[in-house]
Amino acid sequence: MSNESTLTKSGKLTNWLKERGLDVICCGFDYQGVEIIKVDANLLCPVSLTLYSYGFNYLRCQFAYDEAPGGNLVSVDYLVNLQDNEDYPEEVCIKVYI
C-alpha cells in the first residue's frame, strides 16, 4: 500500500515558489480548496513580494491566533489574485509561525 494518501501533496503555488528558491511548505488545502503555505518568518517579505509579482495584489483577510498557551503565535494572510479571473479569483493562504 502506498503512503501517498497520507502525505500532503504540494500545490501549484508551493511548487512555483520552490522553483524560485523559496523554502516553503504546503500544509494542504482549506475547505474551499485554497492552498495553505507555511512560510518562515524571515521569508515572509520575499514570499509576499514574489506572490505580488505573480498577481496576488489583494489582502482579503488577515488574523492571528495562539497555537497553544505559551506556544507559537500564528499569523494568517489570505491573498487574492484579482487580475486573472474575476469570476473565480485565485487565492492562497500564508501561515507564519512566530
Side-chain angles (χ1 to χ4, degrees):
M1 178 160 204
S2 172
N3 287 339
E4 187 175 333
S5 62
T6 61
L7 299 175
T8 301
K9 295 181 181 179
S10 288
K12 178 179 89 170
L13 290 171
T14 301
N15 292 332
W16 185 80
L17 290 166
K18 286 182 177 184
E19 289 171 3
R20 279 142 187 81
L22 297 166
D23 188 22
V24 296
I25 298 170
C26 182
C27 295
F29 301 84
D30 71 6
Y31 73 99
Q32 294 179 317
V34 174
E35 187 174 351
I36 302 168
I37 300 174
K38 180 180 177 182
V39 176
D40 287 336
N42 61 338
L43 290 178
L44 180 59
C45 286
V47 168
S48 297
L49 288 171
T50 303
L51 287 171
Y52 182 81
S53 73
Y54 185 82
F56 286 91
N57 59 356
Y58 181 74
L59 176 64
R60 181 178 67 84
C61 180
Q62 182 181 38
F63 62 92
Y65 63 90
D66 288 321
E67 194 173 39
N72 290 326
L73 176 67
V74 183
S75 173
V76 182
D77 301 330
Y78 274 85
L79 305 174
V80 181
N81 180 347
L82 295 175
Q83 296 175 0
D84 289 341
N85 187 342
E86 294 180 16
D87 294 333
Y88 300 100
E90 186 176 15
E91 272 189 72
V92 65
C93 175
I94 304 297
K95 283 191 173 186
V96 180
Y97 292 76
I98 303 169

